[in-house]
Amino acid sequence: EVQLVQSGAELQKPGESLKISCKASGYTFTKYWIGWVRQVPGKGLEWMGIVYPGDADTRYSPAFEGQVTISADTSMNTAYLQWSSLKASDTAMYYCARHRREVVTAHEPFHIWGQGTMVTVSS
Amino acid sequence: EIVLTQSPGTLSLSPGERVTLSCRASQSVSTSFFAWYQQKGGQAPRLLIYETSTRATGIPDRFSGSGSGTDFTLTISRLEPEDFAVYYCQQYVGSPRTFGQGTKLEIK
C-alpha cells in the first residue's frame, strides 16, 4: 500500500527551528515528485513547493522561497520541511503529498497525501 | 501567478440534487494541467479529477469535470451525504502551482 506518514504535531516558540517529516512507503521513493501544502486553520490550500528525490531538484512557490527548506533523504525514504526561525504566522496544518505519476516532469497533481502535521507557533 | 477564483463560496443543497461548481483562471490553462480535490472536515484533501475530466482511481462516476481556457467546472450529478465537503480546483502548469479558495457544499 502506498502511504505517506507524517511526524506528529508540534508546539514551538517564535524564533525556534523546526523540521517535520513525511515517510513514504509502498513505492519507489526516488521516482516521484513529493511536495508540501500549507493550510492555515479555516483557510484554503497553499502550494509550497516540491522536491524530486531522484536528483534533489527542488521548486518553491515565491511565497515560501527563503522561508522554508524542502528536502528528501533517499536512504530514509523521507521528505522534510524545515524552518530556521519560526513565526506565529507559520501556525498551520502542513500536508505532504506525492505526484500522481512516476515521471520526470514537475507538472502533476497531488495524488497521495499524508495525514497532516499541525504546527503551532506561540510564545 | 495564475489566480483561480471559485464560485460560489458556499452552496446549500439537499442529497439527490445536481450541483455544478465553477473555477475561473486569471489566464488560460491547458486542460492537461487542471485538477479538482475534495476535503472533508479534519481530513487531508483527496484528488477527484485530473487533466480537467479524468476521474482519479476509486472516484464514483457521479463526479465529472469539464472546461477549457479560463473556465472549468466540477459537476456532481446526484449528491450523496458523503459529498458534503469543501472542493478546491488547482492548476499545475504555472509556477507556482495554485489552488482556488474553495467552495463549501453544505447540507440544506
Side-chain angles (χ1 to χ4, degrees):
Chain A
E1 181 191 4
V2 176
Q3 274 193 105
L4 299 175
V5 178
Q6 298 185 228
S7 50
E10 300 277 359
L11 175 58
Q12 301 285 331
K13 291 181 167 44
E16 291 184 334
S17 62
L18 177 65
K19 191 174 190 177
I20 61 174
S21 66
C22 170
K23 184 166 179 63
S25 61
Y27 72 96
T28 304
F29 182 64
T30 53
K31 294 188 176 181
Y32 290 78
W33 287 86
I34 188 166
W36 293 90
V37 174
R38 184 174 82 172
Q39 188 169 39
V40 173
K43 302 297 184 183
L45 306 174
E46 299 173 271
W47 188 92
M48 300 178 72
I50 51 176
V51 59
Y52 188 69
D55 62 6
D57 187 4
T58 311
R59 315 284 174 89
Y60 290 95
S61 166
F64 294 96
E65 186 146 29
Q67 308 304 308
V68 298
T69 301
I70 293 171
S71 62
D73 182 339
T74 56
S75 68
M76 300 289 290
N77 283 1
T78 300
Y80 299 97
L81 177 66
Q82 67 181 90
W83 296 259
S84 59
S85 180
L86 286 161
K87 310 180 191 65
S89 57
D90 293 319
T91 295
M93 180 71 81
Y94 292 87
Y95 293 101
C96 66
R98 194 204 79 177
H99 272 185
R100 186 181 69 87
R101 284 188 301 180
E102 178 187 318
V103 291
V104 175
T105 174
H107 301 281
E108 281 283 320
F110 286 133
H111 185 207
I112 306 297
W113 292 72
Q115 82 277 18
T117 296
M118 184 67 206
V119 174
T120 304
V121 184
S122 174
S123 55
Chain B
E1 173 174 323
I2 299 175
V3 176
L4 299 180
T5 303
Q6 293 186 239
S7 60
T10 303
L11 270 173
S12 298
L13 295 162
S14 300
E17 289 194 82
R18 178 186 178 90
V19 62
T20 296
L21 309 183
S22 174
C23 181
R24 176 161 288 177
S26 60
Q27 58 188 272
S28 185
V29 175
S30 167
T31 58
S32 298
F33 303 104
F34 196 88
W36 291 92
Y37 298 83
Q38 176 194 65
Q39 188 178 33
K40 298 180 183 178
Q43 297 183 18
R46 176 172 71 148
L47 178 65
L48 292 177
I49 302 280
Y50 61 93
E51 296 174 357
T52 296
S53 60
T54 304
R55 282 187 297 277
T57 306
I59 302 304
D61 60 8
R62 64 179 180 273
F63 291 91
S64 62
S66 64
S68 64
T70 60
D71 292 298
F72 296 84
T73 60
L74 173 71
T75 299
I76 309 173
S77 60
R78 185 177 172 85
L79 281 167
E80 298 287 340
E82 61 267 28
D83 299 337
F84 290 90
V86 181
Y87 292 83
Y88 295 94
C89 56
Q90 185 207 18
Q91 63 79 20
Y92 47 95
V93 62
S95 186
R97 322 298 183 251
T98 50
F99 292 95
Q101 82 279 17
T103 291
K104 182 178 181 181
L105 279 188
E106 60 180 29
I107 298 177
K108 192 172 183 179

